Amino acid sequence: MIKASENDLRQLNLMTDCVAQFKAGSIPLRQLITTIEALLKMLGSLDQETRKRLREQWEILEQVYSYAQAMRDGRIDADGEKLINRAVTLLDSLLKPWEKEQ
């Protein structure tokens, strides 16, 4: 497994918690997006490939949300839901190796 600094582990664990809250319906998509974005910006020494893969999934969430806001009065259609579910599942799997490791 790729090493992460203590700070990065905290950020990754916060992302894991945020994804879990979203999956449980405790937070809305917008909050998931803004939290993940902020935490991604705070990552320091995590390798570029992992950052890139996390960012790609965040970008999908952001694009679906932005499209729904601009073109569909905030409503997310079935295709958007599929994209969100896939991105959240991939985020979850990318974060799994670091879950609660500190």
Side-chain angles (χ1 to χ4, degrees):
M1 181 168 76
I2 297 167
K3 295 286 183 186
S5 70
E6 193 172 315
N7 177 65
D8 286 347
L9 287 174
R10 278 193 301 275
Q11 307 323 309
L12 293 165
N13 283 320
L14 287 170
M15 284 184 208
T16 299
D17 292 344
C18 190
V19 168
Q21 289 174 4
F22 176 76
K23 288 169 62 176
S26 301
I27 63 171
L29 178 59
R30 184 75 219 146
Q31 187 174 345
L32 174 66
I33 292 167
T34 57
T35 302
I36 295 292
E37 179 182 27
L39 294 169
L40 282 170
K41 289 178 181 177
M42 296 172 72
L43 291 174
S45 62
L46 193 65
D47 69 285
Q48 290 299 318
E49 182 60 27
T50 302
R51 282 182 195 220
K52 178 180 175 251
R53 293 176 70 200
L54 290 167
R55 180 160 289 285
E56 286 170 349
Q57 300 316 307
W58 169 82
E59 287 173 352
I60 291 168
L61 297 174
E62 177 65 27
Q63 289 170 1
V64 171
Y65 180 82
S66 294
Y67 178 79
Q69 294 301 307
M71 306 300 285
R72 303 185 56 77
D73 294 323
R75 292 183 312 263
I76 297 171
D77 64 11
D79 289 336
E81 288 292 340
K82 287 178 189 175
L83 289 169
I84 290 168
N85 290 336
R86 183 171 183 270
V88 167
T89 299
L90 288 170
L91 273 172
D92 215 13
S93 68
L94 289 168
L95 294 166
K96 250 336 166 215
W98 290 284
E99 192 171 12
K100 303 299 179 214
E101 181 186 307
Q102 282 190 357

